[in-house]
Amino acid sequence: MYNHILSIILFTPLVGAILLMLVPKENKDAIRWIGNIFGFLGFAVSLPLIPWFWALKDRAGFQFVEGAPNNWIPSIGSGYVIGIDGISFLLIMLTTLLGAVSILSSWNAIQERVKEYYVWFLVLQTGMLGVFMANDMFLFFVFWEAMLVPMYLLIGIWGGPRKLYAAIKFFLYTLFGSVLMLLGILFLYFHHHTLTGVYTFYLPDLYATAPKIGGHAAIWLFFAFFVGFAIKVPMFPFHTWLPDAHVEAPTAGSVILAGVLLKMGTYGLIRFSLPFFPAVAMTPWVRQFVIVLSLIAIIYGALVSLMQKDMKKLVAYSSVSHLGFCTLGIFALSPLGLSGSVLQQINHGISTGALFLIVGILYERRHTREISEYGGISNVMPVYATITLIMFMSSMGLPLLNGFVGEFTILQGTFMENKVWAAWAVPGVILAAAYLLWLYQRVFFGSVNNPKNEKLLDLSGRELATFIPLVIVAFWIGLYPKPFFQILATPVNNLVATVRPDYPGLTKPVLAAQPVNPNPEAATPPPEAPRAPETQKPATTGDGQKPGVAATQKPVPVNTVKANLAAAPAVLGK
Amino acid sequence: MTTSLTTFSLSYSSADYLLALPMLLLTVFALGILMIDLMLPQQWKRLNAITALIGVAFSSVAVVKLHLVYHAAEKQGIAIATFTGFMGSLVVDRFAIYFFYLFLVGAGIAILMSMRYLEIEHENHGEFYALLLLSVVGMMCMAAGYDIVLIFIGLELMAISTYVLVGFLRRDKRSNEAALKYLLLGAFSSGIFAYGLSLFYGLTGSTNLGQIAQKLQEVIATRPNDPVVIFALLATTTGLLFKIAAVPFHQWAPDAYEGAPTSITGFMSVAVKSAAWAMLLRIFLFGLYPLRPMYVPLLIFVAIATMTGGNLAAITQDNLKRLLAYSSIAHVGYMLLGLIASDGQTNSTGIMAIMIYLLVYTFMNLGAFAVITSLRRRNIIGDTVDDIAGLYFKAPTEAILMLIFLLSLAGIPPLAGFWGKYFIFLALIQTGHYALAAIGVLYSVVGLYYYMRIANSMLMRQPVDAEPVRTSPAMRLALTITAVGTVVIGLFPNFFINGANWSLGLVQGTQHMARMLR
């Protein structure tokens, strides 16, 4: 189990999908139960990863590596290699959690073609996990593209009135970005061959050679990758597919779309764009360009949110704004900015995922999302109103909740780089409060002025169950974000050291020094690695003591950065 | 001259005929079907199809046998020359064997698809299968021909059989119209092609591709801008491009595809196209290799025009067969990029990409046509985007399979179609054709749009008619083969990549095809 944990996490949903195909489609309840069991199982099997990864969090490079660089298609040098670091670990946990939650949320919402729905949803789950796990460029690309198909079908079959348009727009936009990326990948592949004489897509190998591309080629390549990721994020000029896709998608589809799919773009920027092309990312005009796009997204997304009459569209545009913070943090290119960005991606998954669930619950009851149709809902649905308030607070970045920690860290990191950038980003926070509070006021406060709303039922136990884990995580990150920053410290430190070797207080990049290990067994830790879930609550393990194998391994000296990072939460957290 | 010919013909040995065994077997079965058909009562007509399938199976066994002998000979270091027969006009090399497999798979699946279809159309005659097998014989001559006369005879055998097959639905106006158009334009282009080849014969004094290349080298060296050479090249290229339906010589394809019996449309789009490609590669890479600097700019223009024309025209089509016809034109554009990238001597990636492309195309496109064929019911022609609407509610399996084929055609990994495009773009990047690669990938996004239009209609709309879709066992077998092929090649392409490499003599990665074959 320990050595194959990633494969187990990756394929559990797929196994569920295959099992579901065997169930007769008339038996809807059995299908729902099996779908939910596998949704939950997908989350359950990822839980052991928490203590196991915690024990290895100070190690550089990819952990839990499985497979070998050439074992899938030897003739082109591609392999089934999966492994994770702190960044992908957090995103994987987010994916499995949101997957379980959104499958649970679709119990009543999906009444037609139930079997297909759960099959495609579970396939989607595997596709997304694969993107975050792949350590082989080619495998990554396959997951990246393959995952579009189930999402396209989820929007197109179970979506709203303009579903056909939205589905195909989503598919075309993202494919447009990824085909250019494919050309970029192929270029890196040949470049690696020119330098080393080896054809491979193995990511650590490409990390070593890709930064050696110079001149115009590097800039072209950077933008080939950038367009692919920016469309996915989506950054400002490429964002138009997002509101359409969100508005038309079924609730669970929106949750996954906002919670996980968008993160693939930011993940791609962190995992590929920065370490492949550090020099380009640090080129002033490129950096300025990306940051300006991010700032436009922050302000523009928020302003457009303010004007929406449809709740779901409002949440969709707020995603554009929030993701602007994430890209801003990434291109601040400092440890604080990057770790804040990753944390904000998790936060956005939690809170925006919850916001879509919230909108979905009203929509299930009234079949409209027009804000003007509602008013005084807190009188008829008090529990719902409370949960909504918590999640609105979390999304707008109120202290004690998760959004604040992420946004604050990003702003802090940006401020240290350039005060003007930070100054332009701050209005985004204020506008977020404006559009969310205004929405809350219009929907929940006052008296019930629409007779149709008088008999609305409050949350059922199942619906409440979808929110509880999200509320818990929101408070956890808000109150005690330290373990998250600790998990991010090593990969973020290495990344900044790769991109900016001169950044003060950093060690040499450890990624490049990581030897290519042909033996997958050796890459995973020896058997005496701690298996007891002694770090179920990671906070109890102090900084100094490193359990089990981590102590015997040479730890990466990241103390400076850690101190740096610890400073922020210490101020905020308690 | 006469005496030399007789001595040569006397020197034919049994080895010559063994090389031609796959073709001879098919011919025997085709003629057999024609005779048996006379004696068969109407309700036994299905036997014709079974006989044809047995013929394909026998021929396949013969190809496997040749393959094994070839393998053994290579191990013992016997020169490739021993695999030429009939005075060097027939070369059963790896390249030819690879194409033999493709043709036989395509023909086999097309026969399976036709069985029920012809019954519904009330045109269940033995000639159909006989012509199908004869056209495969023609294709084999095109793939294995190393002499322009043999290649041309093969081409005509294939083409004439196909003209008749396209017009096989005698009572259907569209079918007749398609056959006539195809015949007129096909004959016209064959004429131009033959004229070009005759000019090359005049220039070089030989019909053997190897000798033509040698002589052309000398001609080019002495007279670099000989107008006769240029004219001959233009005429030959026109003929070849017509046969693969590249823009601007593509006009016949949508009409012929639309009117032909659907199973024949599928067969034409894969096997006939593969044969045309085999011929094109033989001529361009061997006979006309010295003229490569002249024809590459021409091909670049044609490739871009083909991708543009095919993709843009496909967007507006409402007839599925026309849509797939334009999409197959677009696919030809991508394949041409492979020929532009690689010359087969210094770099073979692009040629190998074409080989892979033709392989995956055989499965996915035949699969798509198989689904469309199964839409043909008693009173419904079933070939428009509306006819496929709500297919999921009537036949979920067919709808999901169609989705797989469409995604594969659009080049979404991990399905087979992705590998065709992947290697094309790989070759372009490897040889530094970045702009062409960018144009190619962008057009593949356009391609996704029209394929997904079909998928939208199929999965997300309500059915227009209530007539159920039923598939015969033979059709189910055809669908299974194509679907398994599409998925398996997609997930585990290594074996097939090695196969394509083998066909070009690239197993060790050092030898290039030309050296293997000469």
PDB file of all heavy atoms in Angstrom, chain B residues 148-176:
ATOM      1  N   ILE B 148       6.696   1.898 -62.887  1.00  0.00           N
ATOM      2  CA  ILE B 148       5.539   2.772 -63.041  1.00  0.00           C
ATOM      3  C   ILE B 148       4.420   2.109 -63.823  1.00  0.00           C
ATOM      4  O   ILE B 148       3.263   2.426 -63.629  1.00  0.00           O
ATOM      5  CB  ILE B 148       5.921   4.147 -63.660  1.00  0.00           C
ATOM      6  CG1 ILE B 148       6.789   3.972 -64.872  1.00  0.00           C
ATOM      7  CG2 ILE B 148       6.588   5.016 -62.624  1.00  0.00           C
ATOM      8  CD1 ILE B 148       7.200   5.305 -65.484  1.00  0.00           C
ATOM      9  N   VAL B 149       4.758   1.151 -64.668  1.00  0.00           N
ATOM     10  CA  VAL B 149       3.694   0.486 -65.415  1.00  0.00           C
ATOM     11  C   VAL B 149       2.849  -0.346 -64.469  1.00  0.00           C
ATOM     12  O   VAL B 149       1.620  -0.283 -64.479  1.00  0.00           O
ATOM     13  CB  VAL B 149       4.294  -0.385 -66.536  1.00  0.00           C
ATOM     14  CG1 VAL B 149       3.199  -1.166 -67.227  1.00  0.00           C
ATOM     15  CG2 VAL B 149       5.051   0.483 -67.514  1.00  0.00           C
ATOM     16  N   LEU B 150       3.509  -1.102 -63.619  1.00  0.00           N
ATOM     17  CA  LEU B 150       2.757  -1.928 -62.664  1.00  0.00           C
ATOM     18  C   LEU B 150       1.931  -1.041 -61.743  1.00  0.00           C
ATOM     19  O   LEU B 150       0.765  -1.321 -61.458  1.00  0.00           O
ATOM     20  CB  LEU B 150       3.718  -2.793 -61.840  1.00  0.00           C
ATOM     21  CG  LEU B 150       3.002  -3.695 -60.846  1.00  0.00           C
ATOM     22  CD1 LEU B 150       2.134  -4.702 -61.560  1.00  0.00           C
ATOM     23  CD2 LEU B 150       3.985  -4.402 -59.936  1.00  0.00           C
ATOM     24  N   ILE B 151       2.540   0.039 -61.265  1.00  0.00           N
ATOM     25  CA  ILE B 151       1.816   0.934 -60.375  1.00  0.00           C
ATOM     26  C   ILE B 151       0.578   1.471 -61.070  1.00  0.00           C
ATOM     27  O   ILE B 151      -0.516   1.494 -60.510  1.00  0.00           O
ATOM     28  CB  ILE B 151       2.735   2.093 -59.921  1.00  0.00           C
ATOM     29  CG1 ILE B 151       3.827   1.564 -59.007  1.00  0.00           C
ATOM     30  CG2 ILE B 151       1.932   3.169 -59.210  1.00  0.00           C
ATOM     31  CD1 ILE B 151       4.824   2.604 -58.558  1.00  0.00           C
ATOM     32  N   PHE B 152       0.747   1.832 -62.342  1.00  0.00           N
ATOM     33  CA  PHE B 152      -0.393   2.413 -63.046  1.00  0.00           C
ATOM     34  C   PHE B 152      -1.478   1.370 -63.274  1.00  0.00           C
ATOM     35  O   PHE B 152      -2.665   1.665 -63.130  1.00  0.00           O
ATOM     36  CB  PHE B 152       0.071   3.016 -64.386  1.00  0.00           C
ATOM     37  CG  PHE B 152      -0.997   3.825 -65.023  1.00  0.00           C
ATOM     38  CD1 PHE B 152      -1.286   5.088 -64.533  1.00  0.00           C
ATOM     39  CD2 PHE B 152      -1.747   3.327 -66.072  1.00  0.00           C
ATOM     40  CE1 PHE B 152      -2.293   5.848 -65.100  1.00  0.00           C
ATOM     41  CE2 PHE B 152      -2.754   4.078 -66.639  1.00  0.00           C
ATOM     42  CZ  PHE B 152      -3.027   5.340 -66.152  1.00  0.00           C
ATOM     43  N   ILE B 153      -1.060   0.152 -63.589  1.00  0.00           N
ATOM     44  CA  ILE B 153      -2.071  -0.907 -63.781  1.00  0.00           C
ATOM     45  C   ILE B 153      -2.819  -1.135 -62.467  1.00  0.00           C
ATOM     46  O   ILE B 153      -4.043  -1.256 -62.433  1.00  0.00           O
ATOM     47  CB  ILE B 153      -1.392  -2.201 -64.271  1.00  0.00           C
ATOM     48  CG1 ILE B 153      -0.890  -1.996 -65.697  1.00  0.00           C
ATOM     49  CG2 ILE B 153      -2.353  -3.360 -64.191  1.00  0.00           C
ATOM     50  CD1 ILE B 153      -0.063  -3.144 -66.191  1.00  0.00           C
ATOM     51  N   GLY B 154      -2.072  -1.175 -61.381  1.00  0.00           N
ATOM     52  CA  GLY B 154      -2.701  -1.356 -60.071  1.00  0.00           C
ATOM     53  C   GLY B 154      -3.690  -0.242 -59.797  1.00  0.00           C
ATOM     54  O   GLY B 154      -4.822  -0.473 -59.376  1.00  0.00           O
ATOM     55  N   LEU B 155      -3.241   0.967 -60.089  1.00  0.00           N
ATOM     56  CA  LEU B 155      -4.106   2.124 -59.840  1.00  0.00           C
ATOM     57  C   LEU B 155      -5.403   1.996 -60.625  1.00  0.00           C
ATOM     58  O   LEU B 155      -6.492   2.211 -60.091  1.00  0.00           O
ATOM     59  CB  LEU B 155      -3.357   3.402 -60.257  1.00  0.00           C
ATOM     60  CG  LEU B 155      -4.173   4.676 -60.272  1.00  0.00           C
ATOM     61  CD1 LEU B 155      -4.591   5.032 -58.857  1.00  0.00           C
ATOM     62  CD2 LEU B 155      -3.397   5.808 -60.900  1.00  0.00           C
ATOM     63  N   GLU B 156      -5.291   1.624 -61.877  1.00  0.00           N
ATOM     64  CA  GLU B 156      -6.500   1.544 -62.701  1.00  0.00           C
ATOM     65  C   GLU B 156      -7.403   0.406 -62.256  1.00  0.00           C
ATOM     66  O   GLU B 156      -8.625   0.549 -62.218  1.00  0.00           O
ATOM     67  CB  GLU B 156      -6.116   1.383 -64.174  1.00  0.00           C
ATOM     68  CG  GLU B 156      -5.619   2.666 -64.795  1.00  0.00           C
ATOM     69  CD  GLU B 156      -6.581   3.823 -64.585  1.00  0.00           C
ATOM     70  OE1 GLU B 156      -7.649   3.844 -65.199  1.00  0.00           O
ATOM     71  OE2 GLU B 156      -6.286   4.710 -63.751  1.00  0.00           O
ATOM     72  N   LEU B 157      -6.798  -0.707 -61.871  1.00  0.00           N
ATOM     73  CA  LEU B 157      -7.609  -1.826 -61.388  1.00  0.00           C
ATOM     74  C   LEU B 157      -8.405  -1.393 -60.160  1.00  0.00           C
ATOM     75  O   LEU B 157      -9.614  -1.632 -60.056  1.00  0.00           O
ATOM     76  CB  LEU B 157      -6.692  -3.008 -61.041  1.00  0.00           C
ATOM     77  CG  LEU B 157      -7.391  -4.238 -60.468  1.00  0.00           C
ATOM     78  CD1 LEU B 157      -8.473  -4.729 -61.414  1.00  0.00           C
ATOM     79  CD2 LEU B 157      -6.379  -5.349 -60.230  1.00  0.00           C
ATOM     80  N   MET B 158      -7.695  -0.721 -59.243  1.00  0.00           N
ATOM     81  CA  MET B 158      -8.364  -0.253 -58.039  1.00  0.00           C
ATOM     82  C   MET B 158      -9.449   0.757 -58.387  1.00  0.00           C
ATOM     83  O   MET B 158     -10.582   0.658 -57.921  1.00  0.00           O
ATOM     84  CB  MET B 158      -7.352   0.386 -57.105  1.00  0.00           C
ATOM     85  CG  MET B 158      -7.973   0.952 -55.851  1.00  0.00           C
ATOM     86  SD  MET B 158      -6.845   2.005 -54.975  1.00  0.00           S
ATOM     87  CE  MET B 158      -7.027   3.542 -55.836  1.00  0.00           C
ATOM     88  N   ALA B 159      -9.071   1.719 -59.255  1.00  0.00           N
ATOM     89  CA  ALA B 159      -9.983   2.820 -59.525  1.00  0.00           C
ATOM     90  C   ALA B 159     -11.234   2.331 -60.235  1.00  0.00           C
ATOM     91  O   ALA B 159     -12.349   2.682 -59.848  1.00  0.00           O
ATOM     92  CB  ALA B 159      -9.273   3.882 -60.349  1.00  0.00           C
ATOM     93  N   ILE B 160     -11.066   1.464 -61.218  1.00  0.00           N
ATOM     94  CA  ILE B 160     -12.248   1.019 -61.961  1.00  0.00           C
ATOM     95  C   ILE B 160     -13.173   0.219 -61.057  1.00  0.00           C
ATOM     96  O   ILE B 160     -14.390   0.393 -61.063  1.00  0.00           O
ATOM     97  CB  ILE B 160     -11.810   0.216 -63.208  1.00  0.00           C
ATOM     98  CG1 ILE B 160     -11.137   1.172 -64.189  1.00  0.00           C
ATOM     99  CG2 ILE B 160     -12.997  -0.465 -63.859  1.00  0.00           C
ATOM    100  CD1 ILE B 160     -10.424   0.510 -65.313  1.00  0.00           C
ATOM    101  N   SER B 161     -12.578  -0.636 -60.226  1.00  0.00           N
ATOM    102  CA  SER B 161     -13.418  -1.372 -59.281  1.00  0.00           C
ATOM    103  C   SER B 161     -14.174  -0.397 -58.394  1.00  0.00           C
ATOM    104  O   SER B 161     -15.363  -0.593 -58.114  1.00  0.00           O
ATOM    105  CB  SER B 161     -12.564  -2.278 -58.400  1.00  0.00           C
ATOM    106  OG  SER B 161     -11.708  -3.073 -59.170  1.00  0.00           O
ATOM    107  N   THR B 162     -13.491   0.636 -57.949  1.00  0.00           N
ATOM    108  CA  THR B 162     -14.138   1.568 -57.020  1.00  0.00           C
ATOM    109  C   THR B 162     -15.224   2.374 -57.715  1.00  0.00           C
ATOM    110  O   THR B 162     -16.260   2.628 -57.123  1.00  0.00           O
ATOM    111  CB  THR B 162     -13.095   2.527 -56.407  1.00  0.00           C
ATOM    112  OG1 THR B 162     -11.876   1.832 -56.268  1.00  0.00           O
ATOM    113  CG2 THR B 162     -13.548   2.993 -55.053  1.00  0.00           C
ATOM    114  N   TYR B 163     -14.992   2.737 -59.009  1.00  0.00           N
ATOM    115  CA  TYR B 163     -16.044   3.485 -59.708  1.00  0.00           C
ATOM    116  C   TYR B 163     -17.344   2.690 -59.669  1.00  0.00           C
ATOM    117  O   TYR B 163     -18.412   3.226 -59.395  1.00  0.00           O
ATOM    118  CB  TYR B 163     -15.682   3.738 -61.174  1.00  0.00           C
ATOM    119  CG  TYR B 163     -14.410   4.518 -61.424  1.00  0.00           C
ATOM    120  CD1 TYR B 163     -13.617   4.272 -62.532  1.00  0.00           C
ATOM    121  CD2 TYR B 163     -14.025   5.522 -60.538  1.00  0.00           C
ATOM    122  CE1 TYR B 163     -12.461   4.983 -62.769  1.00  0.00           C
ATOM    123  CE2 TYR B 163     -12.865   6.238 -60.768  1.00  0.00           C
ATOM    124  CZ  TYR B 163     -12.088   5.961 -61.868  1.00  0.00           C
ATOM    125  OH  TYR B 163     -10.951   6.659 -62.087  1.00  0.00           O
ATOM    126  N   VAL B 164     -17.207   1.402 -59.952  1.00  0.00           N
ATOM    127  CA  VAL B 164     -18.423   0.572 -59.997  1.00  0.00           C
ATOM    128  C   VAL B 164     -19.026   0.473 -58.590  1.00  0.00           C
ATOM    129  O   VAL B 164     -20.240   0.562 -58.422  1.00  0.00           O
ATOM    130  CB  VAL B 164     -18.093  -0.824 -60.551  1.00  0.00           C
ATOM    131  CG1 VAL B 164     -19.358  -1.648 -60.633  1.00  0.00           C
ATOM    132  CG2 VAL B 164     -17.415  -0.701 -61.887  1.00  0.00           C
ATOM    133  N   LEU B 165     -18.164   0.295 -57.603  1.00  0.00           N
ATOM    134  CA  LEU B 165     -18.682   0.149 -56.239  1.00  0.00           C
ATOM    135  C   LEU B 165     -19.419   1.409 -55.793  1.00  0.00           C
ATOM    136  O   LEU B 165     -20.446   1.336 -55.127  1.00  0.00           O
ATOM    137  CB  LEU B 165     -17.541  -0.164 -55.267  1.00  0.00           C
ATOM    138  CG  LEU B 165     -16.999  -1.590 -55.339  1.00  0.00           C
ATOM    139  CD1 LEU B 165     -15.764  -1.723 -54.470  1.00  0.00           C
ATOM    140  CD2 LEU B 165     -18.063  -2.582 -54.894  1.00  0.00           C
ATOM    141  N   VAL B 166     -18.872   2.567 -56.169  1.00  0.00           N
ATOM    142  CA  VAL B 166     -19.531   3.820 -55.764  1.00  0.00           C
ATOM    143  C   VAL B 166     -20.937   3.884 -56.348  1.00  0.00           C
ATOM    144  O   VAL B 166     -21.871   4.317 -55.692  1.00  0.00           O
ATOM    145  CB  VAL B 166     -18.691   5.033 -56.211  1.00  0.00           C
ATOM    146  CG1 VAL B 166     -19.475   6.322 -56.067  1.00  0.00           C
ATOM    147  CG2 VAL B 166     -17.417   5.117 -55.398  1.00  0.00           C
ATOM    148  N   GLY B 167     -21.073   3.406 -57.576  1.00  0.00           N
ATOM    149  CA  GLY B 167     -22.380   3.465 -58.206  1.00  0.00           C
ATOM    150  C   GLY B 167     -23.199   2.210 -58.001  1.00  0.00           C
ATOM    151  O   GLY B 167     -24.104   1.936 -58.771  1.00  0.00           O
ATOM    152  N   PHE B 168     -22.887   1.472 -56.972  1.00  0.00           N
ATOM    153  CA  PHE B 168     -23.506   0.163 -56.825  1.00  0.00           C
ATOM    154  C   PHE B 168     -24.985   0.226 -56.508  1.00  0.00           C
ATOM    155  O   PHE B 168     -25.726  -0.704 -56.774  1.00  0.00           O
ATOM    156  CB  PHE B 168     -22.768  -0.634 -55.746  1.00  0.00           C
ATOM    157  CG  PHE B 168     -22.848  -2.111 -55.961  1.00  0.00           C
ATOM    158  CD1 PHE B 168     -22.063  -2.715 -56.932  1.00  0.00           C
ATOM    159  CD2 PHE B 168     -23.716  -2.907 -55.230  1.00  0.00           C
ATOM    160  CE1 PHE B 168     -22.144  -4.071 -57.159  1.00  0.00           C
ATOM    161  CE2 PHE B 168     -23.799  -4.275 -55.456  1.00  0.00           C
ATOM    162  CZ  PHE B 168     -23.010  -4.856 -56.425  1.00  0.00           C
ATOM    163  N   LEU B 169     -25.437   1.317 -55.896  1.00  0.00           N
ATOM    164  CA  LEU B 169     -26.859   1.445 -55.574  1.00  0.00           C
ATOM    165  C   LEU B 169     -27.567   1.965 -56.825  1.00  0.00           C
ATOM    166  O   LEU B 169     -27.754   3.165 -56.983  1.00  0.00           O
ATOM    167  CB  LEU B 169     -27.059   2.388 -54.390  1.00  0.00           C
ATOM    168  CG  LEU B 169     -26.244   2.048 -53.141  1.00  0.00           C
ATOM    169  CD1 LEU B 169     -26.485   3.094 -52.071  1.00  0.00           C
ATOM    170  CD2 LEU B 169     -26.620   0.681 -52.634  1.00  0.00           C
ATOM    171  N   ARG B 170     -27.951   1.037 -57.703  1.00  0.00           N
ATOM    172  CA  ARG B 170     -28.418   1.447 -59.023  1.00  0.00           C
ATOM    173  C   ARG B 170     -29.660   2.323 -58.954  1.00  0.00           C
ATOM    174  O   ARG B 170     -29.908   3.146 -59.798  1.00  0.00           O
ATOM    175  CB  ARG B 170     -28.733   0.204 -59.863  1.00  0.00           C
ATOM    176  CG  ARG B 170     -27.503  -0.469 -60.396  1.00  0.00           C
ATOM    177  CD  ARG B 170     -27.904  -1.752 -61.061  1.00  0.00           C
ATOM    178  NE  ARG B 170     -28.625  -2.623 -60.121  1.00  0.00           N
ATOM    179  CZ  ARG B 170     -29.216  -3.753 -60.470  1.00  0.00           C
ATOM    180  NH1 ARG B 170     -29.215  -4.130 -61.711  1.00  0.00           N
ATOM    181  NH2 ARG B 170     -29.827  -4.504 -59.572  1.00  0.00           N
ATOM    182  N   ARG B 171     -30.490   2.090 -57.925  1.00  0.00           N
ATOM    183  CA  ARG B 171     -31.770   2.809 -57.877  1.00  0.00           C
ATOM    184  C   ARG B 171     -31.619   4.171 -57.207  1.00  0.00           C
ATOM    185  O   ARG B 171     -32.566   4.930 -57.127  1.00  0.00           O
ATOM    186  CB  ARG B 171     -32.782   1.985 -57.098  1.00  0.00           C
ATOM    187  CG  ARG B 171     -33.046   0.645 -57.737  1.00  0.00           C
ATOM    188  CD  ARG B 171     -34.077  -0.121 -56.948  1.00  0.00           C
ATOM    189  NE  ARG B 171     -34.135  -1.502 -57.414  1.00  0.00           N
ATOM    190  CZ  ARG B 171     -33.374  -2.463 -56.935  1.00  0.00           C
ATOM    191  NH1 ARG B 171     -32.508  -2.214 -55.980  1.00  0.00           N
ATOM    192  NH2 ARG B 171     -33.463  -3.689 -57.410  1.00  0.00           N
ATOM    193  N   ASP B 172     -30.441   4.458 -56.704  1.00  0.00           N
ATOM    194  CA  ASP B 172     -30.250   5.705 -55.957  1.00  0.00           C
ATOM    195  C   ASP B 172     -29.580   6.727 -56.861  1.00  0.00           C
ATOM    196  O   ASP B 172     -28.501   6.494 -57.408  1.00  0.00           O
ATOM    197  CB  ASP B 172     -29.368   5.400 -54.728  1.00  0.00           C
ATOM    198  CG  ASP B 172     -29.205   6.610 -53.842  1.00  0.00           C
ATOM    199  OD1 ASP B 172     -29.603   7.709 -54.265  1.00  0.00           O
ATOM    200  OD2 ASP B 172     -28.674   6.451 -52.740  1.00  0.00           O
ATOM    201  N   LYS B 173     -30.267   7.862 -57.033  1.00  0.00           N
ATOM    202  CA  LYS B 173     -29.740   8.902 -57.922  1.00  0.00           C
ATOM    203  C   LYS B 173     -28.371   9.395 -57.442  1.00  0.00           C
ATOM    204  O   LYS B 173     -27.460   9.601 -58.219  1.00  0.00           O
ATOM    205  CB  LYS B 173     -30.702  10.085 -57.940  1.00  0.00           C
ATOM    206  CG  LYS B 173     -31.558  10.172 -59.185  1.00  0.00           C
ATOM    207  CD  LYS B 173     -32.213  11.544 -59.210  1.00  0.00           C
ATOM    208  CE  LYS B 173     -33.654  11.422 -59.644  1.00  0.00           C
ATOM    209  NZ  LYS B 173     -34.446  12.572 -59.244  1.00  0.00           N
ATOM    210  N   ARG B 174     -28.277   9.591 -56.137  1.00  0.00           N
ATOM    211  CA  ARG B 174     -27.020  10.142 -55.614  1.00  0.00           C
ATOM    212  C   ARG B 174     -25.844   9.223 -55.926  1.00  0.00           C
ATOM    213  O   ARG B 174     -24.749   9.657 -56.249  1.00  0.00           O
ATOM    214  CB  ARG B 174     -27.137  10.322 -54.094  1.00  0.00           C
ATOM    215  CG  ARG B 174     -28.002  11.467 -53.675  1.00  0.00           C
ATOM    216  CD  ARG B 174     -27.746  11.827 -52.234  1.00  0.00           C
ATOM    217  NE  ARG B 174     -28.004  10.677 -51.356  1.00  0.00           N
ATOM    218  CZ  ARG B 174     -27.769  10.688 -50.056  1.00  0.00           C
ATOM    219  NH1 ARG B 174     -27.271  11.762 -49.491  1.00  0.00           N
ATOM    220  NH2 ARG B 174     -28.018   9.628 -49.321  1.00  0.00           N
ATOM    221  N   SER B 175     -26.115   7.932 -55.809  1.00  0.00           N
ATOM    222  CA  SER B 175     -25.046   6.970 -56.057  1.00  0.00           C
ATOM    223  C   SER B 175     -24.605   7.026 -57.516  1.00  0.00           C
ATOM    224  O   SER B 175     -23.406   7.030 -57.818  1.00  0.00           O
ATOM    225  CB  SER B 175     -25.548   5.575 -55.692  1.00  0.00           C
ATOM    226  OG  SER B 175     -24.545   4.626 -55.898  1.00  0.00           O
ATOM    227  N   ASN B 176     -25.576   7.115 -58.413  1.00  0.00           N
ATOM    228  CA  ASN B 176     -25.234   7.193 -59.834  1.00  0.00           C
ATOM    229  C   ASN B 176     -24.453   8.454 -60.147  1.00  0.00           C
ATOM    230  O   ASN B 176     -23.448   8.427 -60.850  1.00  0.00           O
ATOM    231  CB  ASN B 176     -26.518   7.176 -60.667  1.00  0.00           C
ATOM    232  CG  ASN B 176     -27.131   5.799 -60.681  1.00  0.00           C
ATOM    233  OD1 ASN B 176     -26.402   4.816 -60.789  1.00  0.00           O
ATOM    234  ND2 ASN B 176     -28.434   5.719 -60.540  1.00  0.00           N
TER     235      ASN B 176
END
